[in-house]
Each structure stands twice: as structure tokens, then as C-alpha cells.
Amino acid sequence: AVQVAAGTYTEQVVVDGKNLTITGAGAGASIVKSPASLATSFTTSAANFPVVLLENAADIRLSGVTVDGDGQGAANYRFMGVAFWNAGGKLLDCDVVRVRDTPFNGSQHGNAVYAYNNTGGPYAIEVGNCTVSDFQKNGITMNGTGLTADVHDCTVTGQGSTTVTAQNGIQVAFGAGATLSDNAISGIGYTGTNNAVASGLLLYGPGAATTVSGGSVTNSQMGCYVADMDANVSGLAASSRKGGAPNLVMRSIAGTASC
């Protein structure tokens, strides 16, 4: 186990091939801040550059820290805050902030919390009681066949109504399944001229079933979008970005969706 004292650490953190628990002094006290250039990446369709990379192990745990992207995305294309790559584990009681370019723009990257694998797993990831804000594309992304995610009690805040990119609050896709409970998502809206849609919850497959219970999506363009996935949504409070009628939108192209 590693204990992180209060302070600001401007560095990339990489845990590779080892089950390890890293515990900070608390979000806002122990801060891991992105340097201007990130040296280590992992490759999916291209190289990805996270501030904190947790890879190739079944149980890597990080808690009680702030991960600050410091707006360094322009120099680190496919920028991420915390990434699980071919890994399982836990991200608890953390803040992940400013995972974006400076200034914020429409470049299609900047995922604050991200998980993916190319092995088929199985991997289990818990993201709990985390605050995610000021990101560029997605707040929390859980992807990959064999991944089971438990995302609960998190607060995800987007950029609000923007003309430059369609953000997503929480995404489950590409074979993953998840339980999403009591998360508060807000400020996910797109007002640009193409056909893109910003979604508080974006669930698409094919993949394992996903269950959403409780929580809220407010001040956002679309509450919940489901495509090619079995999903059940209950107790989710949703409202439009203009403060109008509830805006819970379910679309099932293949598979079943109920709410």
C-alpha cells in the first residue's frame, strides 16, 4: 500500500502489473497534477495519455486524491484523467478535474475517468463518491467486453450548453455492463449545427445488461440514451436544460429498455 501525503505532485502516475492500494489525504489535499507532457501511454485504436494509468492487474485501488488535468490536453491528444487499461479495481472518494484542452474546444478527447480492455476480462471496477468536472468529452466511461462496473454516488458536471462538442456524463459501451446508482449528472448540452446529441447517460452495446437506479440528470440535453443494450432505469429524475418537463429519453435499437 502507498500513502500519499497532502501536497501537489506534478507528475504522471503509472501502476503496471501490480495489485496496489494508493490512499491520499483526501480530495483537495493530495493532488496529482498533469505535467505539460505525458510520457507513458496505452494503445487502443491510437495512443492514449492519462494522468494516472492503472493497467494490467485485477485490483488496483486509488482513493482520497484529486487528479487535475490542468487543461494540458492540447499537448497530449487522447487525454485522460484516470484510466484503467486491462485492469480492475476501485476509484473512490476522488475528484477528477480539468481534463481538457486550454481553452475548452471541440477536439474529440478529454475523458476524465476511463476504462477499457482488449483481453475480454473479466474485470470489475467500482467508481464511488467521486466528483468529475470541467472535462472535454466524457465524464465517466466504462467500455469493453468482460468489464462489469459499479458507478455510484458520483457527481458529474459538464460544460453546459456548448456549440463545440456533444459531451456525455456517464457512458457504458462496447460490451461492458454496469450498475449505475444515485449519480448526479448536470450540464451536458449541445447546441451546435450537426446532428450530435449530448447525453447525461449513454448506454450502448452490444453488451451486458445495465441497471440505472436513482440519481438525476439535470440541465442536460438528453437524460438517458439506450441503443443495442438491455437496460432497466428506475427512479432517475431528469429535466431539460431549459428547466422544462422531464427529459428522460429511452431508445432501444436492439435489445430491450424499460423505465
Side-chain angles (χ1 to χ4, degrees):
V2 175
Q3 298 289 328
V4 182
T8 299
Y9 305 89
T10 302
E11 60 183 282
Q12 185 181 34
V13 174
V14 178
V15 179
D16 186 356
K18 178 182 293 188
N19 292 328
L20 183 68
T21 297
I22 303 172
T23 305
S30 299
I31 301 168
V32 178
K33 187 175 179 181
S34 180
S37 179
L38 296 168
T40 302
S41 65
F42 69 95
T43 301
T44 52
S45 59
N48 305 278
F49 293 88
V51 182
V52 176
L53 174 57
L54 312 175
E55 62 180 353
N56 302 316
D59 189 11
I60 309 174
R61 304 185 181 193
L62 176 65
S63 65
V65 304
T66 291
V67 177
D68 182 359
D70 195 35
Q72 298 287 355
N76 302 283
Y77 181 66
R78 295 175 72 101
F79 191 38
M80 297 172 178
V82 178
F84 290 86
W85 169 240
N86 290 332
K90 299 179 184 290
L91 181 69
L92 304 174
D93 304 310
C94 290
D95 292 351
V96 184
V97 301
R98 298 199 291 172
V99 182
R100 56 165 172 78
D101 291 3
T102 300
F104 168 79
N105 58 52
S107 182
Q108 296 295 290
H109 73 139
N111 294 307
V113 179
Y114 181 89
Y116 199 39
N117 75 85
N118 64 0
T119 69
Y123 301 105
I125 292 177
E126 179 184 0
V127 182
N129 196 36
C130 292
T131 298
V132 177
S133 63
D134 198 12
F135 53 91
Q136 188 141 321
K137 182 57 180 176
N138 282 8
I140 298 173
T141 303
M142 298 284 113
N143 289 345
T145 300
L147 172 64
T148 302
D150 177 11
V151 181
H152 63 88
D153 302 292
C154 292
T155 300
V156 179
T157 306
Q159 300 287 347
S161 296
T162 172
T163 62
V164 298
T165 193
Q167 294 186 301
N168 300 297
I170 298 176
Q171 173 181 305
V172 181
F174 300 117
T179 299
L180 311 177
S181 55
D182 299 318
N183 299 295
I185 303 165
S186 63
I188 307 292
Y190 176 67
T191 56
T193 58
N194 65 32
N195 293 324
V197 175
S199 300
L201 295 172
L202 175 60
L203 316 175
Y204 68 93
T210 290
T211 299
V212 179
S213 61
S216 61
V217 180
T218 57
N219 190 33
S220 297
Q221 184 176 5
M222 181 174 288
C224 181
Y225 188 100
V226 181
D228 299 325
M229 177 184 284
D230 292 339
N232 180 269
V233 180
S234 63
L236 177 68
S239 63
S240 71
R241 65 175 180 267
K242 295 181 179 179
N247 183 25
L248 178 59
V249 178
M250 303 288 295
R251 181 183 181 192
S252 181
I253 297 173
T256 61
S258 63
C259 61

